[in-house]
Amino acid sequence: MSDSTGRAGHIRIGVDTGGTFTDIVAVDTKAGTIATTKTPSTPSNPADGFLTGVHKILEQIGAQPSEIESISHGTTVATNQLLEGKIGELGFITTEGYEFVLEIARQSVPDGYGNSYFWVKPDRIVPADKVKTVGGRLNFKGEEVRPFDEASAREAVRFFKDKGITTLGVCLLHAYANSSHEQRMLEIIREEMPDAVVSLSSEVLREYREYERTMTTLVDAAVKPKVGAYVAGIAERLAELDPERVIPFSIMRSNGGVLSADEVTGQPITTVLSGPAAGALGAAVIAQKAGFDSVVTNDGGGTSSDVTVIQNGQPTLTTEGSVGEYPSKIPMIDVVTVGAGGGSIAWLGPEGTLKVGPKSAGADPGPICYEKGGTEPTITDAHLTLGRIPPHLLGGEIPLNVQAATDGVQQLADKLGLTLEQCATGILEISAWNQANALRQVTVKRGLDVRDFPMVTFGGSGSLLACRLMDILNLPAVLVPPTPGNVSAYGLLTVDVRNDYVQTQVAKHESLDLDRLRATIDELREKAKAALEREGFPPAAQRYEVTADLRYFGQAFEVRVECPEGEITQEWADEVADRFHAAHHALYSYDFKGNDEQKVEWVNLRVTGVGPIARPEIKQIERGTGAEGALIETRQVNYEDQWHETKIYDRAKLGAGDVIEGPAVVQEFGSTVPIHPRFVVDVDANGNLIIKRKDA
């Protein structure tokens, strides 16, 4: 890949901005070497931490900005805005008679109908007094029933202009089937309010279900200004870094692909959960190289832990996701997030019981042991109190005050009537069960047996409770990659460019119009092709994935299946239906294959355009001569409410084939791995720590 001046760099950089730390990975494509580092995040202006990290990694490897080939970035800007509910002033334009689509929403209640009495419907993303309607009507086939009413459209736009509301979401009925009314609405908005920020449902999500399409469109509009400003700010800083050229800069997307920053500003909702997506993909690559095609992953950061499942080397995708209170139908890697990060605060509930999270101390003020103003004990403080992590982070860059942490945990222990050790262990036990429940959500609730899956742990805090999670879930093994805190940043360098396109086209299988189906897939493929060409991929490098959402007639939701390659014929369609029967059986333990009374119905067609990116090679490490050569010291560490004289090892000095028996602690620059009694660690050829039970 070359920059806009035609010069080719040779250093690819991945930057993953988390709530507490920003992780950076650099790959030298000439030398084949990989370098990693971390720097504290800067929540007030994430771009500062981003640029600090880029400067730090360049200094570490002795490189100049002119040698950068590209930078890939995983950002939480959109995610944090939604989680914090900072939506801002937003206007909504919809079809006449449908102004209360947000108020009606869906009849389902979180946590089941037993929660109906207690549940309070959250505030709508746009209040009813900021919703305006326009005349005109399309049917579900996209045919015009009533012409678009331009007078009411101008009246709606002028209403928002008078109110000073310049961010608008437009979702007209059945616009997924015909975008002409929405396109005319956009033209009128541009005439009346040239500077307005606008999202059209026909561009964000061409898929039926009015409430979900409306919400997805409004969320896209809500995050557009902030994401646009953030990306523009980084672009300006990168221009200062190397004034002679434009450094290629791309953003991680929720679907497991990357997209150039310029393209992302037009569809910012696709960056939601981009950080967890990068981590899952990086973990999948590392696990496959180690011989594990199917694993669960646990990405533990300073604020939260993100878990997902990898099957046959690929993370599971969903279009039923949500961020905070806001459902989103865009394709995203199926990640479950739980407030159980290193900075999660331990507190006393109103009923007098111990609680952990979801509130986090984050990077500022951080845990008590940071001595930056934190006053409430956190998971990190509990680990430090029990001796499971060293009295410093990042190789000594961040000193930790053991006494301050101990005092904070002791104060909480006194309120609970527990010993210091019992309280600290209790904090970690609650955190472990929170993570275990999240892992069950991505496996057991989806028809998978969690006991069949080894776990890959990464992130700064992801490996701290690995042994306990093995016990709780009866996992066969845990894999801890080298520099686990940087797996998400590494994942940014392993992912392809991906563009998703969808079109709702409801039809029964027995009366499927193959010509119409073929034309729709060709249209979606052309859109994907155009997007890949804008990203600089020649036709020979482009790859396409075709999927379809099917259901049994009368069902409310669909099952997505991969479509076979080749010409679209009746045999092709029958193969898709057979795959649907099999997928339905795998999910729900039954199917209606061969039952003519239960008709199969096609609902959505999807095409994903893929532009392959070269992945960094995972190199093998040298053969070890025994773990004793990596021994740093011995110290007292508390496991299972008992103090043990424990050996502390330097991971950088371990070689392939070395074996460590618990109790032990393995330390490295950005992470620590406590090894409980009854567990043993093998170092594999790629430098991964493989944790198993001694009796396994």
PDB file of all heavy atoms in Angstrom, residues 47 81 104 318 377 421 686:
ATOM      1  N   ALA A  47      -7.807  11.749  21.142  1.00  0.00           N
ATOM      2  CA  ALA A  47      -6.794  11.941  20.107  1.00  0.00           C
ATOM      3  C   ALA A  47      -5.407  12.177  20.717  1.00  0.00           C
ATOM      4  O   ALA A  47      -4.390  11.815  20.115  1.00  0.00           O
ATOM      5  CB  ALA A  47      -7.171  13.120  19.211  1.00  0.00           C
ATOM      6  N   GLN A  81     -20.273   7.584  23.782  1.00  0.00           N
ATOM      7  CA  GLN A  81     -21.335   8.583  23.666  1.00  0.00           C
ATOM      8  C   GLN A  81     -22.699   7.947  23.911  1.00  0.00           C
ATOM      9  O   GLN A  81     -23.556   8.508  24.606  1.00  0.00           O
ATOM     10  CB  GLN A  81     -21.305   9.229  22.278  1.00  0.00           C
ATOM     11  CG  GLN A  81     -22.367  10.315  22.102  1.00  0.00           C
ATOM     12  CD  GLN A  81     -22.369  10.905  20.697  1.00  0.00           C
ATOM     13  OE1 GLN A  81     -21.493  10.635  19.886  1.00  0.00           O
ATOM     14  NE2 GLN A  81     -23.373  11.703  20.389  1.00  0.00           N
ATOM     15  N   ILE A 104     -44.071   3.556  20.784  1.00  0.00           N
ATOM     16  CA  ILE A 104     -44.641   2.208  20.780  1.00  0.00           C
ATOM     17  C   ILE A 104     -43.533   1.167  20.913  1.00  0.00           C
ATOM     18  O   ILE A 104     -43.626   0.231  21.701  1.00  0.00           O
ATOM     19  CB  ILE A 104     -45.453   1.980  19.494  1.00  0.00           C
ATOM     20  CG1 ILE A 104     -46.638   2.943  19.451  1.00  0.00           C
ATOM     21  CG2 ILE A 104     -45.936   0.531  19.417  1.00  0.00           C
ATOM     22  CD1 ILE A 104     -47.352   2.978  18.112  1.00  0.00           C
ATOM     23  N   THR A 318     -23.945 -10.811  14.551  1.00  0.00           N
ATOM     24  CA  THR A 318     -25.350 -10.653  14.885  1.00  0.00           C
ATOM     25  C   THR A 318     -25.850  -9.331  14.328  1.00  0.00           C
ATOM     26  O   THR A 318     -25.075  -8.392  14.127  1.00  0.00           O
ATOM     27  CB  THR A 318     -25.582 -10.684  16.411  1.00  0.00           C
ATOM     28  OG1 THR A 318     -26.979 -10.559  16.680  1.00  0.00           O
ATOM     29  CG2 THR A 318     -24.843  -9.545  17.111  1.00  0.00           C
ATOM     30  N   PRO A 377     -12.176   1.145  46.593  1.00  0.00           N
ATOM     31  CA  PRO A 377     -11.378  -0.013  46.176  1.00  0.00           C
ATOM     32  C   PRO A 377     -11.902  -0.626  44.879  1.00  0.00           C
ATOM     33  O   PRO A 377     -13.114  -0.667  44.641  1.00  0.00           O
ATOM     34  CB  PRO A 377     -11.513  -0.986  47.341  1.00  0.00           C
ATOM     35  CG  PRO A 377     -12.771  -0.587  48.040  1.00  0.00           C
ATOM     36  CD  PRO A 377     -12.896   0.885  47.858  1.00  0.00           C
ATOM     37  N   GLU A 421      -8.339 -10.539  53.670  1.00  0.00           N
ATOM     38  CA  GLU A 421      -8.208 -11.531  52.603  1.00  0.00           C
ATOM     39  C   GLU A 421      -9.569 -11.994  52.093  1.00  0.00           C
ATOM     40  O   GLU A 421      -9.767 -12.177  50.877  1.00  0.00           O
ATOM     41  CB  GLU A 421      -7.403 -12.742  53.091  1.00  0.00           C
ATOM     42  CG  GLU A 421      -5.933 -12.457  53.369  1.00  0.00           C
ATOM     43  CD  GLU A 421      -5.702 -11.824  54.743  1.00  0.00           C
ATOM     44  OE1 GLU A 421      -6.702 -11.668  55.494  1.00  0.00           O
ATOM     45  OE2 GLU A 421      -4.548 -11.499  55.062  1.00  0.00           O
ATOM     46  N   ASN A 686       4.718 -20.744  19.832  1.00  0.00           N
ATOM     47  CA  ASN A 686       4.484 -19.347  19.475  1.00  0.00           C
ATOM     48  C   ASN A 686       4.573 -18.411  20.679  1.00  0.00           C
ATOM     49  O   ASN A 686       4.284 -17.225  20.553  1.00  0.00           O
ATOM     50  CB  ASN A 686       3.106 -19.210  18.819  1.00  0.00           C
ATOM     51  CG  ASN A 686       2.986 -20.027  17.548  1.00  0.00           C
ATOM     52  OD1 ASN A 686       3.897 -20.024  16.729  1.00  0.00           O
ATOM     53  ND2 ASN A 686       1.885 -20.743  17.391  1.00  0.00           N
TER      54      ASN A 686
END
